[in-house]
Amino acid sequence: MSETTNALGAFLRARRGLVTPQRAGIPDTGVRRVPGLRREEVALLAGISADHYLRLERGRDRHPSVQVLESIARVLQLDDEHLAHLLALAADVPRRRRRRPRRQVPPPGALKLLRPLVQPAFTEDRYFDVLAANRTATALSPGLVEGGNQLRDLFLDPAVQVLHPQWEEVTECFVANLRQAVGTDVDDPRFIELTGELSLASPRFRTLWARHEVRGQRGTPVRIEHPQVGTMTLNRERLTIDGTGDLMLVVYHPDAGSEAADKLALLASAALPTADGEHRTPARS
């Protein structure tokens, strides 16, 4: 049974494999064919029968009680975000395939705000598709152009990967964010297409995807190693675009008066076209 048909079971198996007997406070006895806790150990610690837990993992019990799920979450040491995801996967809510346009279009007001911004800014959907970007965003990263996908670039494009000295942490964050953004809508065609492509092409993505980490995006500092202006630490903010459902305006901005502010200003000025329509090339600091 695949993740699209048994998302609850896939999540439980993945999270069970991340909890060692030592973390669970039980003896590590016998040879373990796979890492993590055995099914019967999870059941014992959660106070349910081994058969009940087995039926949950195999998708034979689709409507467990909240009490049972919270007991399992305690054993699997899930935080609040992972518990919320677990409860959503098991919720008795009729599944309805929602028709989505192949590519959403940001509203005109958001585009009017985006384009003249000095800071790198772009709009994205829940799959991290770039729907629109200003000149400074494209100057910051070659992947930040209309029609690009940030996940694909992070895992498959060396020119984007070298921008991120903390690439492993960044990729881990993006994959966990995708899990939360999609939630229970695992049969979404765009989601299946994107995760299928990356699973085939990137061992790193396969490893992270198998962990079933769930995490919401938050404003955070990001280090960029830019080939023209050098290292910058920029704040990454995501702002909801009203009336669009799940579109976000993303803005990178430096701390006021910082070295990064000077470097970003240089990059922004270089992104402006000259009188002959060309672009300046800033000297590396």
Side-chain angles (χ1 to χ4, degrees):
M1 193 174 289
S2 69
E3 182 177 338
T4 58
T5 57
N6 184 21
L8 175 61
F11 179 77
L12 291 174
R13 286 191 298 273
R15 301 311 298 181
R16 175 167 61 85
L18 298 176
V19 181
T20 63
Q22 291 80 6
R23 286 182 58 191
I26 62 175
D28 186 3
T29 58
V31 177
R32 294 177 184 269
R33 292 176 297 175
V34 294
L37 297 177
R38 300 184 177 100
R39 293 188 183 94
E40 57 269 25
E41 290 170 337
V42 175
L44 177 64
L45 293 170
I48 61 176
S49 71
D51 179 66
H52 189 179
Y53 182 78
L54 179 62
R55 285 188 284 113
L56 286 173
E57 276 205 8
R58 291 185 174 177
R60 295 174 182 169
D61 182 354
R62 300 298 183 96
H63 309 300
S65 70
V66 172
Q67 181 180 6
V68 165
L69 292 173
E70 289 179 339
S71 296
I72 293 173
R74 173 180 51 78
V75 176
L76 299 182
Q77 303 179 15
L78 304 184
D79 60 21
D80 289 345
E81 287 183 302
H82 287 84
L83 173 58
H85 186 69
L86 173 62
L87 295 175
L89 291 176
D92 186 13
V93 177
R95 297 296 299 277
R96 178 172 61 87
R97 185 182 294 274
R98 290 174 291 175
R99 293 187 177 183
R100 290 178 174 270
R102 181 65 176 176
R103 189 169 295 278
Q104 295 173 273
V105 178
L111 296 177
K112 290 178 182 178
L113 171 64
L114 166 73
R115 287 170 177 146
L117 284 176
V118 175
Q119 297 89 353
F122 57 96
T123 58
E124 66 180 18
D125 61 15
R126 67 175 183 166
Y127 316 104
F128 298 106
D129 290 322
V130 179
L131 307 180
N134 65 11
R135 294 179 185 274
T136 315
T138 305
L140 181 68
S141 172
L144 295 179
V145 293
E146 182 177 345
N149 179 272
Q150 297 165 82
L151 272 173
R152 185 183 295 112
D153 291 335
L154 274 171
F155 286 100
L156 304 181
D157 188 343
V160 173
Q161 292 172 3
V162 297
L163 295 174
H164 297 280
Q166 297 171 310
W167 180 77
E168 290 192 353
E169 292 89 338
V170 172
T171 54
E172 182 179 343
C173 180
F174 267 74
V175 171
N177 296 160
L178 179 65
R179 277 279 185 198
Q180 184 174 77
V182 173
T184 63
D185 202 8
V186 293
D187 57 354
D188 180 294
R190 172 66 179 133
F191 168 75
I192 294 172
E193 174 192 46
L194 179 61
T195 56
E197 175 190 0
L198 293 175
S199 294
L200 288 172
S202 170
R204 170 67 175 169
F205 180 84
R206 287 197 300 273
T207 298
L208 293 176
W209 194 243
R211 292 172 60 90
H212 283 249
E213 292 283 353
V214 178
R215 192 182 316 154
Q217 286 233 20
R218 301 174 180 85
T220 184
V222 177
R223 284 182 59 201
I224 301 291
E225 182 65 35
H226 199 274
Q228 294 175 324
V229 298
T231 304
M232 297 181 287
T233 297
L234 303 174
N235 303 295
R236 187 177 191 271
E237 306 293 342
R238 299 175 79 244
L239 309 173
T240 302
I241 301 176
D242 290 342
T244 64
D246 55 15
L247 297 191
M248 308 293 290
L249 174 66
V250 184
V251 181
Y252 285 92
H253 63 98
D255 291 340
S258 64
E259 182 181 3
D262 295 335
K263 291 180 177 181
L264 188 60
L266 181 62
L267 194 64
S269 66
L272 296 175
T274 60
D276 58 5
E278 297 296 326
H279 295 270
R280 307 170 185 85
T281 301
R284 184 183 174 100
S285 300

